[in-house]
């Protein structure tokens, strides 16, 4: 039972001080979660803290590899539009 | 007729529209402030329009974390080529930041102010932010410290801010109505939860207002920044201006929304437009009836270095700073000399202006002022309050309005320099088109020199190029050109418009 931070992390430090288990640490090229320390905040908080402050959609995954902040859930930008922009660039889409 | 450079006699200011006490040029922007505040801001380039020609500022990017999301911000910041809030090239540790500040202070003695502005929210990174302030107040006591924040955790930080002798705080307040806020802020992080919608906006607004009250109660100066978002909060910002003034904010800075699709922000991608220059000016004028307005903001990066409008950040990258040996004791002596020299210059200018205003008052030259219409003029300057930039080298133009009331600073407009110098100008043609577009509404462009090539297109666009006032003080030159236009009979045809405006 542990979350994972992936390469889309922007190294903003927001999650690091919130972790009740000090499981999150600065690393290169991005922050990491120490698997053996992560409890997904169960017993400490209603919501997982790193997931609740992370500004980047898809940067934190659950143990099944599913994004905990789904595309569009934080910025409000429709996921279809985001996917199109990622594929074709802004100029082609807008 | 000699025109007053300043709106010296406030009692004769027109009613409605733009009251002279709050949006005239330079000094009268500050004239109505208590002496204690003027003393605090006379050398702060972000707070005093006059100071921004002479004194420089810098930001250090020690605060990457944020506790809210704004629809005009993309948290995947990091671009060396863009200049706008929230963008930086490298986030640094407090130790690195202190080193950088001292290196810059020693190299650019006019640098008087260090701000922490992001790229996240400084008060969402309290340890990093306050460690930087703590060390700087010990090692470099001659630098003013200031901070900007979204306000969410401000009430908890007021004691700590007061401790570090930070006497300037900027709060970004885009609304006082949670329904408006829900359209600007998709979420906040509050008491261990991500909250959304109206509920989130309500908490953010309450915290901002509480923080503002707590700061002003302690005598800490508060400037309020607002982003003008057409169709979202544009009509609401006059109300914001009234509320924050009532609570003691001393300056309101209404900035235009920056939203380009390629920035990847919600507003950018969704096609939300920013305001036009005219819309921005109209709103600033509307707020000015209630509030002291700031018009010279350049919306700089969270790691900007130098005079407003310039960024010398590339001279102070971490590897370059590591190689510098700084003797700060010696630097402080040099800095004090430079500051004293600038102060003497400012004092002389002040005296000259007062003398001139008195002369004008005695001669009663304001009597025939109703006859001429106001004119917008663009000015190319590198700083120092004089016209000293070539037309083709200017990356921005300052906009002044000349009218029978005097000369007032309106704002600045950015462009791509038409010609970077040398014989060939590459795609100079399209850069010129851009400059012509951003100068729309101006009838004169004053610069130290204008080349042959742009001359005709400028004239064809109704903008008279003028290189005759090179190295002259901006406001005096603008007044002189206005007088020339008046004598030539160019200002009478639209008298009706002028009367309507008055």
């Amino acid at each position: 039972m542990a979350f994972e931070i992936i390469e889309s992390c922007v190294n903003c430090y927001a999650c690091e001080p919130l972790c009740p288990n000090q499981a999150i640490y600065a690393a290169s090229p991005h922050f990491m979660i120490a698997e053996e320390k992560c409890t997904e905040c169960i017993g400490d908080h209603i919501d997982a803290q790193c997931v609740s402050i992370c500004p980047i959609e898809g940067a934190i995954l659950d143990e099944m590899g599913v994004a905990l902040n789904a595309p569009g859930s934080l910025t409000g930008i429709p996921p279809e539009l985001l996917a199109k922009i990622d594929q074709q660039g802004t100029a082609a889409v807008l | 007729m000699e025109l007053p450079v300043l709106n010296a006699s406030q009692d004769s200011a027109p009613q409605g529209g733009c009251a002279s006490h709050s949006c005239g040029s330079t000094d009268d922007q500050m004239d109505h402030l208590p002496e204690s505040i003027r003393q605090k801001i006379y050398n702060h380039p972000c707070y005093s329009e006059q100071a921004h020609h002479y004194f420089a500022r810098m930001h250090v990017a020690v605060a990457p974390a944020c506790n809210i999301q704004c629809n005009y911000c993309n948290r995947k910041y990091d671009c060396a080529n863009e200049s706008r809030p929230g963008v930086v090239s490298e986030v640094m540790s407090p130790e690195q930041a202190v080193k950088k500040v001292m290196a810059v202070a020693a190299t650019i003695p006019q640098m008087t102010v260090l701000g922490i502005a992001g790229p996240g929210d400084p008060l969402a990174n309290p340890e990093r932010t306050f460690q930087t302030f703590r060390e700087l107040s010990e090692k470099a006591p001659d630098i003013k410290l200031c901070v900007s924040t979204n306000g969410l955790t401000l009430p908890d930080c007021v004691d700590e801010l007061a401790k570090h002798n930070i006497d300037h705080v900027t709060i970004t307040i885009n609304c006082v109505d949670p329904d408006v806020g829900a359209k600007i802020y998709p979420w906040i992080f509050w008491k261990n939860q991500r909250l959304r919608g109206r509920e989130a906006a309500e908490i953010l607004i309450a915290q901002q207002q509480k923080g503002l009250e707590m700061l002003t109660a302690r005598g800490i100066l508060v400037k309020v920044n607002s982003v003008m978002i057409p169709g979202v909060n544009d009509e609401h910002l006059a109300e914001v201006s009234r509320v924050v003034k009532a609570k003691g904010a001393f300056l309101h800075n209404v900035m235009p929304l920056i939203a380009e699709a390629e920035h990847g922000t919600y507003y950018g991608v969704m096609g939300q437009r920013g305001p036009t220059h005219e819309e921005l000016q109209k709103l600033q004028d509307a707020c000015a009836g209630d509030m002291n307005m700031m018009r010279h903001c350049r919306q700089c990066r969270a790691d900007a270095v130098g005079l407003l409008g310039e960024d010398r950040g590339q001279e102070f990258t971490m590897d370059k700073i590591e190689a510098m040996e700084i003797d700060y004791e010696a630097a402080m002596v040099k800095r004090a000399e430079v500051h004293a020299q600038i102060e003497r210059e400012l004092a002389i200018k002040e005296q000259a202006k007062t003398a001139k205003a008195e002369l004008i008052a005695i001669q009663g030259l304001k009597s025939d002022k109703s006859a001429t219409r106001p004119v917008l003029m663009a000015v190319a300057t590198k700083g120092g309050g004089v016209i000293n930039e070539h037309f083709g080298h200017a990356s921005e133009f300052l906009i002044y309005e000349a009218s029978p009331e005097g000369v007032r600073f309106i704002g600045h407009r950015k462009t791509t320099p038409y010609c970077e110098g040398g014989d060939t100008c590459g795609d100079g043609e399209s850069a010129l088109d851009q400059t012509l577009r951003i100068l729309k509404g101006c009838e004169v462009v004053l610069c130290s020199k204008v080349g042959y090539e742009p001359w005709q297109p400028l004239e064809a666009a109704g903008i008279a190029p003028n290189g005759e006032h090179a190295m002259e003080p901006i406001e005096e030159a603008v007044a002189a050109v206005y007088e020339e236009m008046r004598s030539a009979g160019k200002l009478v045809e639209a008298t009706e418009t002028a009367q309507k405006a008055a």
Side-chain angles (χ1 to χ4, degrees), chain B residues 408-460:
Chain B
R408 68 175 181 129
F409 176 72
I410 297 281
H412 64 95
R413 299 181 188 175
K414 286 181 186 160
T415 188
T416 309
Y418 151 74
C419 173
E420 299 287 354
D423 295 323
T424 53
C425 290
D427 58 353
E429 190 57 37
S430 59
L432 180 59
D433 286 343
Q434 188 195 359
T435 301
L436 291 174
R437 178 168 50 77
I438 65 122
L439 293 184
K440 188 172 159 251
C442 298
E443 296 178 47
V444 179
V445 59
L446 288 156
C447 38
S448 62
K449 227 174 187 179
V450 197
Y452 171 77
E453 266 182 68
W455 196 279
Q456 256 198 324
L458 276 167
E459 284 196 325

Side-chain angles (χ1 to χ4, degrees), chain B residues 46-341:
Chain B
C46 305
Y47 288 174
S48 159
E49 202 273 322
Q50 167 107 314
H52 99 277
H53 294 291
Y54 303 93
F55 293 104
R57 55 73 180 102
M58 71 178 291
H59 289 163
V60 283
V62 294
C66 198
N67 46 17
I68 71 172
Q69 175 72 49
C70 304
N71 280 333
Y72 46 75
C73 181
N74 176 5
R75 300 305 316 288
K76 296 174 193 163
Y77 51 79
D78 186 16
C79 177
N81 299 318
E82 277 180 39
S83 183
R84 60 193 166 91
V87 174
V88 298
S89 299
E90 50 184 352
V91 169
M92 50 183 66
S93 68
E95 295 80 12
Q96 289 175 314
V98 169
K99 225 170 182 177
K100 178 172 179 178
V101 172
M102 294 174 72
V104 172
T107 316
I108 308 177
Q110 307 92 308
M111 194 276 278
T112 49
V113 172
L114 174 273
I116 299 182
D121 185 72
L123 302 184
N125 304 254
E127 283 175 26
R128 299 164 64 88
T129 296
F130 288 121
Q131 189 190 331
T132 309
F133 283 148
R134 199 161 41 237
E135 284 191 32
L136 280 174
S137 55
E138 282 167 21
K139 293 181 181 164
D142 63 339
I143 297 174
K144 277 178 191 285
L145 305 176
C146 56
V147 66
S148 64
T149 177
N150 62 41
L152 183 60
T153 62
L154 180 57
D156 301 331
C157 296
V158 170
D159 284 340
E160 190 72 19
L161 286 167
K163 217 187 282 175
H164 297 298
N165 205 18
I166 293 157
D167 52 14
H168 306 78
V169 174
T170 296
I171 315 175
T172 300
I173 299 179
N174 295 316
C175 54
V176 290
D177 175 348
D179 289 318
V180 175
K183 296 178 195 159
I184 302 171
Y185 308 104
W187 58 264
I188 69 169
F189 181 80
W190 178 249
K191 294 194 194 295
N192 300 98
Q193 278 184 300
R194 200 190 307 264
L195 302 180
R196 297 168 190 268
R198 195 180 190 281
E199 180 193 18
E202 207 165 357
I203 293 168
L204 176 62
I205 291 166
Q207 289 290 101
Q208 290 171 336
Q209 297 297 321
K210 189 176 166 194
L212 167 58
E213 287 167 20
M214 289 171 74
L215 288 170
T216 54
R218 283 164 191 255
I220 297 174
L221 288 184
V222 181
K223 164 168 138 274
V224 168
N225 279 356
S226 299
V227 180
M228 179 185 182
I229 312 158
V232 176
N233 71 347
D234 48 346
E235 289 176 6
H236 178 56
L237 283 180
E239 168 73 5
V240 170
S241 217
R242 272 192 295 279
V243 170
V244 300
K245 189 199 180 186
K247 293 192 176 170
F250 87 103
L251 185 62
H252 191 193
N253 176 22
V254 177
M255 307 177 292
L257 170 71
I258 301 174
E260 301 296 334
E262 59 268 28
H263 296 162
T265 62
Y266 173 83
Y267 284 146
V269 170
M270 301 303 281
Q272 167 68 49
R273 71 173 180 92
T276 62
H277 295 303
E278 291 78 15
E279 286 169 334
L280 178 67
Q281 191 189 324
K282 206 175 147 201
L283 178 62
Q284 287 175 334
D285 285 349
C287 295
D290 294 297
M291 185 67 181
N292 188 29
M293 300 299 290
M294 170 170 176
R295 295 166 189 268
H296 63 279
C297 177
R298 301 299 201 284
Q299 295 176 283
C300 55
R301 295 163 55 95
D303 58 1
V305 174
L307 289 169
L308 297 201
E310 72 171 4
D311 189 354
R312 296 175 59 179
Q314 291 307 310
E315 295 169 42
F316 301 98
T317 52
M318 273 332 294
D319 53 326
K320 288 177 188 158
I321 293 162
E322 296 295 346
M324 291 182 190
E325 292 244 353
I326 303 299
D327 176 354
Y328 203 76
E329 289 296 317
M332 272 209 283
V333 175
K334 172 86 193 300
R335 288 168 52 75
E337 281 167 14
V338 170
H339 296 175
Q341 178 57 33

Side-chain angles (χ1 to χ4, degrees), chain A residues 10 12-14 18 45 47 49 51-56 69 73-78 81 85 90 94, chain B residues 64-67 69 71 75-77 125 128 186-187 189 192-194 196 261-262 264-266 269-270:
Chain A
V10 295
C12 81
Y13 286 80
L18 294 176
H45 297 284
D47 299 321
Q49 294 301 285
V51 178
S52 297
I53 200 164
C54 181
I56 305 298
N69 289 308
S73 66
L74 302 183
T75 59
I77 300 171
L81 195 57
I85 290 169
T90 45
L94 302 161
Chain B
C66 198
N67 46 17
Q69 175 72 49
N71 280 333
R75 300 305 316 288
K76 296 174 193 163
Y77 51 79
N125 304 254
R128 299 164 64 88
W187 58 264
F189 181 80
N192 300 98
Q193 278 184 300
R194 200 190 307 264
R196 297 168 190 268
E262 59 268 28
T265 62
Y266 173 83
V269 170
M270 301 303 281

